[in-house]
């Protein structure tokens, strides 16, 4: 079945450090891939997405590239800020037909804490 | 604000009671999803609607759970005879019409946190 695996956290960084959060997915079909972010006390917000191989999603300084050969969608940011402290979720949806189209499968989430 | 809204935001109930949650999707989004999120985990799919039709239900959705979307707009999720294991955050999401922009981009509400004592 579909699954998503994220690197285990928590991740603690100093401000302006480089961030990588690894995410791999099962290669069933050609799924759309997403990163969602959940700030304390808030709901999930879409951070970025990619819908086909070699696509790069980007937003707010975050980037992730859809790598079909390694079935990965790692999240990166060159210089994190304290305000980036949140929980980050990698997710996949299926682009195949049928009733599962659009249903999201999430990773377990990675807690990021950025210190000044 | 035209985002997804959920009510109530918090619900505390005693074991065995029934609870009902409401979700109002972004207007004109014809797909609506329910997920459950427990502490330290990612959201897990429960069910989804295309307009008023419930198209898929997860195995997680036991007989005590029922969801409706009678007019294709807001949706309700009811849990009967609640158990302590039902304690979780219940998330609702909506996505636009496939023809307009693809159904895969889901926009989430703030969630309803259920605590069963």
């Amino acid at each position: 079945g579909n699954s998503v695996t994220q690197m285990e956290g928590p991740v603690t960084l100093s401000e302006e450090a480089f961030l990588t959060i690894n995410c791999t997915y099962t290669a069933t079909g050609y799924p759309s891939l997403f990163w969602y972010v959940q700030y304390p006390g808030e709901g999930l917000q879409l951070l970025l997405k990619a819908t086909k191989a070699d696509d790069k999603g980007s937003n707010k300084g975050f980037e992730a590239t859809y790598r079909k050969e390694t079935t990965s969608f790692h999240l990166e940011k060159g210089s994190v800020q304290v305000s980036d402290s949140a929980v980050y979720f990698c997710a996949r949806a299926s682009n195949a037909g049928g009733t599962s189209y659009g249903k999201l499968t999430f990773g377990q989430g990675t807690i990021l804490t950025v210190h000044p | 604000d035209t985002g997804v809204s959920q009510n109530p935001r918090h619900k505390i109930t005693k074991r065995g009671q029934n609870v009902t949650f409401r979700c109002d999707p972004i207007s004109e989004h014809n797909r609506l999803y329910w997920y459950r999120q427990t502490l330290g985990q990612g959201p897990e799919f429960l069910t989804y609607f295309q307009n008023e039709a419930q198209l898929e239900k997860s195995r997680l959705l036991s007989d005590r759970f029922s969801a409706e979307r009678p007019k294709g707009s807001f949706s309700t999720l009811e849990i009967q005879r609640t158990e302590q294991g039902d304690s979780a955050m219940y998330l609702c999401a909506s996505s636009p019409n496939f023809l307009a922009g693809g159904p895969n981009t889901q926009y989430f509400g703030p969630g309803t946190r259920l605590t069963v004592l």
Side-chain angles (χ1 to χ4, degrees):
Chain A
N2 296 340
S3 68
V4 175
T5 303
Q6 283 182 239
M7 67 181 285
E8 292 185 12
V11 175
T12 302
L13 296 173
S14 298
E15 206 165 25
E16 299 184 2
F18 183 85
L19 168 71
T20 300
I21 301 178
N22 290 341
C23 171
T24 58
Y25 63 93
T26 53
T28 304
Y30 300 94
S32 295
L33 301 172
F34 305 83
W35 278 99
Y36 281 85
V37 58
Q38 189 171 35
Y39 297 101
E42 298 184 16
L44 285 130
Q45 298 178 22
L46 177 66
L47 182 59
L48 53 83
K49 68 176 181 178
T51 57
K52 61 182 186 296
D54 299 324
D55 266 3
K56 178 185 283 188
S58 61
N59 186 28
K60 300 181 181 179
F62 290 90
E63 293 183 340
T65 301
Y66 190 139
R67 301 287 188 198
K68 184 171 178 292
E69 64 277 9
T70 54
T71 63
S72 65
F73 193 55
H74 304 324
L75 183 68
E76 296 182 336
K77 186 173 185 181
S79 177
V80 293
Q81 305 300 312
V82 172
S83 58
D84 293 327
S85 298
V87 184
Y88 291 82
F89 293 94
C90 185
R92 61 162 286 164
S94 174
N95 281 352
T99 57
S100 293
Y101 189 84
K103 176 179 72 176
L104 293 177
T105 301
F106 286 86
Q108 75 271 30
T110 301
I111 300 172
L112 170 66
T113 303
V114 181
H115 292 296
Chain B
D1 182 39
T2 58
V4 178
S5 61
Q6 292 187 245
N7 288 288
R9 293 291 305 275
H10 303 273
K11 179 70 177 179
I12 300 173
T13 190
K14 293 182 179 179
R15 185 164 53 94
Q17 298 295 304
N18 298 344
V19 294
T20 300
F21 311 140
R22 176 177 170 129
C23 171
D24 288 87
I26 294 171
S27 62
E28 300 180 355
H29 278 191
N30 66 343
R31 289 197 171 203
L32 185 149
Y33 306 79
W34 285 99
Y35 293 83
R36 182 171 67 188
Q37 184 179 19
T38 53
L39 199 61
Q41 300 297 317
E44 296 175 293
F45 171 79
L46 292 178
T47 187
Y48 93 94
F49 294 83
Q50 169 105 6
N51 300 312
E52 65 275 9
Q54 188 173 18
L55 296 187
E56 186 171 353
K57 294 168 61 173
S58 163
R59 292 190 303 272
L60 293 175
L61 216 64
S62 76
D63 292 344
R64 297 184 296 104
F65 287 70
S66 63
E68 295 183 342
R69 195 183 183 196
K71 297 182 180 179
S73 57
F74 73 90
S75 175
T76 58
L77 177 68
E78 181 183 16
I79 309 174
Q80 295 182 327
R81 305 180 303 282
T82 52
E83 302 173 356
Q84 289 183 327
D86 297 332
S87 295
M89 177 76 85
Y90 290 84
L91 298 170
C92 177
S94 68
S95 66
N97 186 293
F98 170 72
L99 294 179
N104 283 345
T105 302
Q106 296 180 25
Y107 300 89
F108 284 79
T112 295
R113 182 169 295 284
L114 173 66
T115 302
V116 181
L117 302 176

